[in-house]
Amino acid sequence: MTNPLVEAFFIGRAVAEVLTERMENTFTDALSELGKFEAEAKEHLRAFTEEVIEKANRAAEAAGAGETATGMGQTSSSEPEDLQAVIDELRAEIALLRTEIQRYRSNSV
């Protein structure tokens, strides 16, 4: 290449191609990392939610077992109904929380 204008043109074109390739790679890597982060965040949220629900269920069962053990000698028929009402309310709250979590997950996607 003896003509400096032709040489400058080809060098400029090569620079543009290399920059474009690097920008594409950087952009693709950034999107990949963002996707991994989002997937990990969803997984952590799911695991956290399951842990909270399991712990709440264990606490409710332990509280129910304690009530049953201490209330066995009593003859009042209103206490089991109250306990059942509390259990039903807790189950309804858990169902509501699950619905809210699913709504949050669907809005996050």
Side-chain angles (χ1 to χ4, degrees):
M1 287 191 238
T2 58
N3 189 349
L5 289 176
V6 173
E7 186 177 346
F9 169 76
F10 285 111
I11 290 175
R13 189 168 107 186
V15 167
E17 288 176 358
V18 169
L19 285 175
T20 301
E21 289 173 6
R22 288 192 180 180
M23 285 178 22
E24 286 175 357
N25 289 339
T26 303
F27 184 69
T28 304
D29 291 344
L31 287 179
S32 175
E33 289 297 320
L34 180 64
K36 283 196 287 187
F37 174 76
E38 183 181 9
E40 289 174 358
K42 284 183 180 181
E43 178 61 26
H44 289 302
L45 179 62
R46 184 195 59 75
F48 175 75
T49 303
E50 285 180 2
E51 183 179 345
V52 167
I53 290 173
E54 286 176 15
K55 192 169 189 171
N57 287 337
R58 284 193 305 266
E61 288 174 4
E67 288 288 325
T68 303
T70 59
M72 290 181 91
Q74 298 174 353
T75 59
S76 174
S77 63
S78 65
E79 292 221 15
E81 292 176 20
D82 292 339
L83 179 61
Q84 187 60 44
V86 170
I87 291 172
D88 290 342
E89 287 177 14
L90 288 173
R91 286 183 177 156
E93 287 180 22
I94 290 170
L96 178 64
L97 287 172
R98 285 182 178 164
T99 304
E100 289 297 322
I101 289 169
Q102 288 175 350
R103 185 178 302 143
Y104 174 77
R105 286 180 181 167
S106 66
N107 288 339
S108 295
V109 176

